[in-house]
Structure formats: structure tokens, C-alpha cells
Amino acid sequence: MRVRGRDDGDRDGRLGPAELGADLGERATLVQFSSAFCAPCRATRRVLGEVAAMVPGVAHVEIDAEARLELVRALGIVRTPTVLVLDAGGRVVRRAAGQPRRADVVAALGEAV
């Protein structure tokens, strides 16, 4: 899993409901870029869903990378799954490519809340 900070090509570092197609979490949002035939994406969906359910105020939003190519290109997403951790204001505080471990997701949330 490759982890990058917000200085690695994010537009202005903020995403909102217009870009995500869903509301931000009160405290943080886990944004997952997936594709239809990506096996690690299914496992990532499960891990992020479990963490979001476990931590109050955290939302999990999954985006179909193929359907949102403009956003994928703007954010420099090159593989799925890619996970962005957003703070309450939609600022990207962490970025990871590949299937994350639950402990890594929880640690990344610590930077956002």
C-alpha cells in the first residue's frame, strides 16, 4: 500500500458533495475509488465499511472510477483501489493505493479527526 500526503497532485486538496455525489461525514470521510472487476476493491469496501461503522461521524463513499474518469484524472488516481481520507471540511489528509489494513485506516483517520 502506497501512502501519500495531500501535496501529491490533488486539485486544491478539498472535495465536497458535488464531487463525491454524497455528503461528507461529520468528522471524516473515507473515499474509495473502485472498478468493477477489482477483487481487492471488494475487500477494501468491507474494511472501510467496518471502520466507518465503528467510528462515529465517519462516512464511507465508494466511487466507480470508470464512471468518474474526469475526477480520477483530476486527482491523479492511477489504480484501484485508491483510498482518500478527508477531514470534516473535505481536505485530503491521506491517500493510499492498494488494499489497506484496518489498522492503517484507523491510524490515517487519526490525522483527519
Side-chain angles (χ1 to χ4, degrees), residues 3 5 7 13 15 26 31 33 45 59 72 74 76 81 84 90 99 102 113:
V3 178
D7 299 329
L15 297 170
E26 290 177 21
V31 180
F33 286 87
R45 178 184 311 120
V72 165
L84 306 179
Q99 183 178 331
R102 182 189 310 222
V113 294

Side-chain angles (χ1 to χ4, degrees), residues 33-112:
F33 286 87
S34 298
S35 53
F37 299 103
C38 167
C41 293
R42 290 188 288 277
T44 298
R45 178 184 311 120
R46 187 185 75 252
V47 168
L48 298 182
E50 289 171 358
V51 171
M54 182 176 71
V55 182
V58 174
H60 172 222
V61 176
E62 187 171 4
I63 296 175
D64 180 346
E66 296 172 55
R68 301 291 307 277
L69 285 176
E70 182 178 316
L71 182 60
V72 165
R73 289 181 182 126
L75 293 170
I77 306 293
V78 295
R79 65 181 280 207
T80 57
T82 291
V83 177
L84 306 179
V85 179
L86 311 180
D87 65 12
R91 184 175 64 93
V92 178
V93 296
R94 215 51 155 153
R95 177 182 181 119
Q99 183 178 331
R101 295 179 309 157
R102 182 189 310 222
D104 293 334
V105 175
V106 172
L109 276 176
E111 293 181 43

Side-chain angles (χ1 to χ4, degrees), residues 3-24:
V3 178
R4 302 186 328 180
R6 85 173 202 93
D7 299 329
D8 294 325
D10 299 340
R11 292 178 299 176
D12 65 355
R14 293 187 187 272
L15 297 170
E19 292 86 10
L20 299 177
D23 290 332
L24 295 171

